[in-house]
Amino acid sequence: MVERVLELRVHGVSNTPPDQLLGLLPAPNGDGAQPWLVAGGAVTGFYRSTAAGPDDPITVEAYSWGQLTSGARTARDVERALWTLLLPFTLANVALYARTGIPPDPDRERWSSRSGITAWLIRLFGLSLTGTLVIAVTGVGVDLIGWQCVGQDCLDHLPGPWDFLADGWWRQDTRALAVGLLLPLLMLVLLGAVAWRTYQYEAEMPADPHPRPAARGADPAVEPPADQPEPLENPLQDPTFWCGEGQLRRAAVLHLCAGAVVAAAVPVAGVIVMDPPRGLRAAVAWPTVAALAAVVAIAVAALGRPWLTRREGHTPLGRWSATIAVLTGLGLVGTFVLLLLPDGPAGRPLADFRPPAGCVRDPGLAGCGVDRSLPGYDAIVAWLATYQALLLVAIGAVARSGRRALLAPVAGSVLLPLGLLWTERGLPGLPVAPAGVRPWMLAVPAIAVAAAGLVLPRIPPATAEQPPEADDGLAWGGRGPAIIAGFGWMMAAAYCAGLLYWFSNLLDSRAGPGGPTRVTPPPAVFWAGLACVIALLALVGLLIRAALLFRALRRAEYAALTATATALSAHDLRRCHDVSTFRALHRLVGEHAIRLVGWYATGSAVLVALCCAAALSGRRPGPRLSSGWQLLAGWAADLGDRMLGGLPLVVAVLGLLVYRSDTVRRSVGVVWDIGTFWPRAAHPLAPPSYAERAVPELQTRVAGLLALTEHDPRRVDGVILSGHSQGTVICAAMLLQLSHRWRQRIWFFSYGCQFTRLYGRVFPAYFGPGRLRVLARALTRPGGGIAWTNFWRATDPLGWQVSAGERDVPVADPEALHPSGGEVADPPIRNHGGYPHAVEFARERAVVARLLRRAVPSPREGIG
């Protein structure tokens, strides 16, 4: 029988169709070879050419996984487009994997270690993001609709049957708040249903596929001994890495219950502030507060416990999940009972705190021009945003400099409330604050004290599992988790600010620009709008800087190209200009992109600090302020809020175009596919990880083919695992999970590889230089050579050398500056694609195929 080698090609984010992966060209009469599904299904499948024969020395097979993510063209495109609205949760999840010092064995990670503390802080931040979304929706239901929108003319702007809230019985006491509270609870139920459905999104495949039962008479002596467990040297070798459904379920219960508690805490806090409970109300209020506080305390503590930090596959929810669910139920019952009880005898009726009805008809009514939002809600929004910013500072400081860096953010978080309390009420033992001291004057120094932890000297992780060289070229000086999570937080804050602004405008649409208002969003919404305008201007400046840098790089590359050749024609000079454009883009992305993002993150951090200080002051830069810069700031804030109001729609449309437009998919899809590659270990409500299906599926296919018996017509002697772009990441993750006996018959081809300039710098604990050498050792052949070839081009913006011990092969692009051999068209500049068509690729593949056939075959598993 002919010895056969299988080349298994795995595409990248562009979702290359199977026919292009297989290199099939359309025949003149239209009846040429077609891709043929040999394994899998319509969503993910393995394809071969219909022209492939059983005796072909090299059989090409394509694995198509793009329907799982940005390349999908299915009936679920709209549903997946809505997943883009959960991008803040995705970025919080990605931040967990950007830590340094992660031990290969998850059982060896301790809570008190640098990576353990950082992981706990990131999970706490993820929980706060759930709270941010809940706070915003609670503001819409409880504050804007249930509290401030008191008139029929206001409720008429809402879709649905909300008119009953204008009746006298519902306007009394806090009964309308109970109705408004149903809105965030319904949103949590919807998120829970979506999360539950996505558990079925990933396909659980066997970690080590077993062969089919043997035919009778098979000799069991030919079966190889079971592999000895290999020591874990890379976290991707953890057998539970891609199987964490149990962890997801437990974390989802925690987030949903904590979100329900946050939603209930808003009206409960408002009622307690306005009407301190006595008698029956006290008997309901204080047990309710205790139940809500217990859920928060358990959630904060549980984030660092193994039952949430370990991916243990199918495990029961456990007693902690049941305890949290019961306490949440009791707290919600107590909240609704408290809101439906009549006013207590403590002071003024609660209705006196609400804005009066009829402001549109009679602007002269008392209280029409005054902010009458739910007491305490504005402060909750401002303090939540501020402490989220401080939490991000703590994440960045610990990730960069270890546990000692916690001192600065902790000190800032303590000084901030003490300073503001001193200005408002005074502190025992201190003189009264001067009359000219404003809250922002103390908030800015306190935040600056916290930010000092970010500039401490970087200390590499002192662990045996994380080699020091793994930190070389680290992105953003080790602050990667904070920067990634910070961008997610800014997007979440933008979503929420836009939501509150849009609803307040909807309910207050009859109020003129300078006239009385009925509903008012929190001051933090206005400052977020102003920050949006400034951030967009900064982004334009950054793009201009990138364009100037690109221009300088292109000039340098053009000069280098023209200096190495003589007697170039005008056509050749034009081609040199085209080639220099792609080479400049190659250098811009690989050498400068991360630094440019770091500059923007630095400016954003300063802007966030100022906005948090302004939000704590309680002032809003509205158009009704006097004149000058205040008027300009007010109109800028209004413009920014209008843009934020449409941001969710823009993101959803962009997410839909990711599935429908090749151009958008190749640009935006890169970010999406990087984010959804990682399992949901920090935020359970993020979009599902496509790799939890792709990696085990690819592993099962490769091991299953190599496990076939000698006489099976489908058997192969070796596999060339050929990964492009993001496909190289999937292949590397699969190889680290694969059994040793199967790796000995595999050769890894990587091209358009992102290990060095992207994954290695942002995720050093998985793809850093030290951890990539683990992959190289895993692919070391018995003779000492490393079965790994990496192809790269100087015109490929993402493809670079790897330098982990593999063989690097440069690929010429283009093949020549002008046509040759009778061709009339210029050789194409392929940049990031078309590697299998290169001469260097074909030459290397022929050599590797001979090596795989010549190798001594390892014992095959029998059929028993």
Side-chain angles (χ1 to χ4, degrees):
M1 184 175 292
V2 176
E3 295 178 334
R4 191 167 56 170
V5 171
L6 175 72
E7 183 192 353
L8 182 53
R9 295 178 180 176
V10 184
H11 65 76
V13 299
S14 59
N15 188 28
T16 307
D19 56 341
Q20 296 182 24
L21 275 175
L22 297 172
L24 302 180
L25 299 176
N29 55 4
D31 58 353
Q34 299 295 323
W36 167 46
L37 182 66
V38 295
V43 178
T44 59
F46 295 84
Y47 294 84
R48 294 184 185 180
S49 170
T50 53
D55 295 334
D56 292 346
I58 300 180
T59 301
V60 180
E61 184 171 297
Y63 176 47
S64 178
W65 57 269
Q67 299 271 12
L68 292 172
T69 175
S70 63
R73 293 177 181 271
T74 68
R76 297 174 61 190
D77 285 354
V78 175
E79 176 186 344
R80 288 171 180 164
L82 296 178
W83 285 350
T84 57
L85 298 177
L86 303 178
L87 187 58
F89 299 163
T90 300
L91 293 177
N93 187 63
V94 173
L96 185 72
Y97 297 94
R99 297 171 293 147
T100 58
I102 303 176
D105 188 350
D107 293 330
R108 299 186 62 181
E109 185 174 50
R110 298 293 177 261
W111 183 91
S112 58
S113 66
R114 172 193 293 199
S115 64
I117 294 177
T118 308
W120 178 73
L121 292 174
I122 292 173
R123 288 189 171 96
L124 183 59
F125 170 76
L127 189 65
S128 74
L129 278 186
T130 303
T132 300
L133 178 61
V134 171
I135 284 290
V137 180
T138 304
V140 172
V142 174
D143 182 26
L144 300 184
I145 298 177
W147 183 256
Q148 296 190 51
C149 191
V150 296
Q152 184 68 45
D153 53 351
C154 176
L155 295 170
D156 286 342
H157 292 84
L158 289 173
W162 294 90
D163 296 346
F164 68 94
L165 291 178
D167 296 339
W169 188 85
W170 285 104
R171 288 175 56 186
Q172 294 177 3
D173 306 326
T174 54
R175 298 186 180 99
L177 300 187
V179 179
L181 183 58
L182 296 176
L183 188 62
L185 297 181
L186 180 63
M187 183 268 298
L188 288 172
V189 171
L190 179 62
L191 277 180
V194 171
W196 187 271
R197 182 175 180 180
T198 59
Y199 294 148
Q200 310 303 321
Y201 181 82
E202 302 90 355
E204 299 261 349
M205 301 298 292
D208 188 11
H210 299 287
R212 293 181 179 179
R216 293 185 180 181
D219 185 5
V222 301
E223 295 185 11
D227 286 346
Q228 295 295 327
E230 296 180 319
L232 298 182
E233 300 180 274
N234 189 313
L236 290 173
Q237 293 175 301
D238 176 19
T240 66
F241 193 87
W242 303 107
C243 181
E245 183 176 335
Q247 181 196 41
L248 278 177
R249 293 179 186 275
R250 295 188 296 270
V253 170
L254 182 70
H255 277 250
L256 294 175
C257 290
V261 165
V262 169
V266 171
V268 168
V271 169
I272 291 177
V273 168
M274 293 182 294
D275 184 20
R278 295 180 182 178
L280 177 62
R281 293 175 61 85
V284 175
W286 298 124
T288 299
V289 171
L292 300 180
V295 172
V296 175
I298 293 175
V300 172
L303 292 175
R305 304 304 303 164
W307 72 287
L308 270 184
T309 60
R310 300 291 185 268
R311 299 179 61 79
E312 299 174 356
H314 296 285
T315 54
L317 292 179
R319 62 181 183 276
W320 287 107
S321 299
T323 302
I324 289 177
V326 170
L327 289 175
T328 302
L330 294 176
L332 290 178
V333 170
T335 299
F336 280 104
V337 171
L338 180 65
L339 295 178
L340 294 176
L341 285 175
D343 288 355
R348 295 166 55 189
L350 298 183
D352 292 348
F353 291 90
R354 303 181 69 173
C359 286
V360 174
R361 294 189 304 271
D362 185 6
L365 287 176
C368 284
V370 181
D371 181 6
R372 290 295 185 90
S373 58
L374 182 69
Y377 180 71
D378 293 354
I380 290 175
V381 172
W383 282 103
L384 175 62
T386 302
Y387 270 89
Q388 281 179 319
L390 292 174
L391 187 56
L392 288 171
V393 170
I395 291 171
V398 176
R400 174 178 170 83
S401 305
R403 291 175 295 179
R404 64 169 188 162
L406 264 180
L407 180 62
V410 169
S413 63
V414 173
L415 291 175
L416 181 60
L418 291 179
L420 296 183
L421 186 62
W422 177 58
T423 59
E424 295 180 359
R425 299 184 180 181
L427 290 176
L430 293 179
V432 179
V437 176
R438 297 289 183 266
W440 67 266
M441 298 180 181
L442 298 177
V444 170
I447 296 176
V449 169
L454 293 173
V455 297
L456 292 176
R458 180 168 63 90
I459 299 177
T463 61
E465 297 87 357
Q466 181 80 3
E469 66 268 22
D471 278 344
D472 293 346
L474 197 62
W476 307 304
R479 307 178 188 91
I483 290 179
I484 296 172
F487 282 124
W489 174 68
M490 288 192 295
M491 179 167 283
Y495 283 171
C496 296
L499 180 69
L500 289 168
Y501 181 83
W502 187 85
F503 265 97
S504 64
N505 260 11
L506 175 67
L507 298 173
D508 204 30
S509 58
R510 295 182 185 176
T517 179
R518 291 169 298 187
V519 292
T520 307
V525 171
F526 291 88
W527 291 109
L530 182 60
C532 173
V533 174
I534 299 174
L536 287 178
L537 294 176
L539 181 60
V540 171
L542 182 72
L543 294 177
I544 293 174
R545 169 59 181 161
L548 294 175
L549 185 58
F550 174 74
R551 183 181 179 185
L553 292 173
R554 186 173 60 184
R555 285 180 175 178
E557 292 295 332
Y558 181 78
L561 284 172
T562 55
T564 57
T566 57
L568 293 175
S569 64
H571 176 273
D572 292 340
L573 291 176
R574 180 182 60 81
R575 290 282 286 168
C576 286
H577 183 273
D578 295 340
V579 174
S580 66
T581 299
F582 285 99
R583 290 194 174 188
L585 184 61
H586 170 79
R587 294 184 56 189
L588 179 67
V589 174
E591 298 175 0
H592 303 282
I594 287 183
R595 184 172 69 252
L596 292 174
V597 173
W599 289 352
Y600 189 73
T602 302
S604 300
V606 175
L607 183 61
V608 164
L610 295 176
C611 286
C612 288
L616 290 175
S617 68
R619 299 188 63 189
R620 63 181 79 234
R624 300 174 180 82
L625 296 179
S626 56
S627 61
W629 70 269
Q630 292 182 330
L631 184 61
L632 178 62
W635 285 111
D638 187 68
L639 174 62
D641 283 325
R642 290 180 184 274
M643 290 188 291
L644 293 179
L647 181 63
L649 179 62
V650 171
V651 173
V653 171
L654 189 62
L656 181 61
L657 291 178
V658 165
Y659 307 115
R660 294 297 182 184
S661 169
D662 292 339
T663 302
V664 178
R665 181 165 63 245
R666 290 190 178 95
S667 53
V668 181
V670 174
V671 178
W672 184 249
D673 282 5
I674 291 174
T676 54
F677 168 79
W678 300 102
R680 295 172 289 180
H683 204 296
L685 305 181
S689 165
Y690 62 87
E692 288 196 336
R693 175 168 178 173
V695 171
E697 211 168 61
L698 185 62
Q699 177 186 355
T700 302
R701 178 64 177 171
V702 171
L705 289 175
L706 292 175
L708 293 173
T709 59
E710 218 28 84
H711 303 289
D712 195 306
R714 299 169 299 169
R715 70 115 178 116
V716 294
D717 289 274
V719 172
I720 299 176
L721 190 61
S722 180
H724 172 240
S725 188
Q726 187 70 12
T728 63
V729 182
I730 295 175
C731 290
M734 187 277 292
L735 287 169
L736 289 172
Q737 291 275 323
L738 200 62
S739 211
H740 173 75
R741 65 175 178 272
W742 307 132
R743 287 200 306 263
Q744 295 302 303
R745 296 162 59 189
I746 294 176
W747 198 291
F748 183 28
F749 276 6
S750 59
Y751 41 94
C753 184
Q754 309 165 22
F755 289 159
T756 304
R757 300 292 168 150
L758 178 59
Y759 276 88
R761 300 179 67 185
V762 179
F763 309 108
Y766 300 88
F767 296 99
R771 294 292 165 85
L772 276 181
R773 293 193 185 101
V774 176
L775 177 61
R777 288 194 296 271
L779 292 170
T780 301
R781 298 173 66 80
I786 298 177
W788 181 3
T789 304
N790 179 63
F791 303 89
W792 66 280
R793 294 189 180 114
T795 56
D796 187 347
L798 297 177
W800 287 75
Q801 305 97 314
V802 177
S803 303
E806 81 300 338
R807 168 176 157 79
D808 276 311
V809 176
V811 178
D813 188 42
E815 298 174 358
L817 293 178
H818 47 266
S820 61
E823 179 59 71
V824 296
D826 289 327
I829 303 175
R830 301 186 185 276
N831 56 85
H832 191 53
Y835 277 92
H837 301 292
V839 175
E840 296 87 348
F841 187 95
R843 184 185 303 120
E844 184 75 9
R845 188 178 77 153
V847 173
V848 168
R850 287 196 299 269
L851 291 175
L852 288 175
R853 294 192 196 99
R854 194 181 307 164
V856 178
S858 60
R860 288 189 170 85
E861 288 193 354
I863 319 182

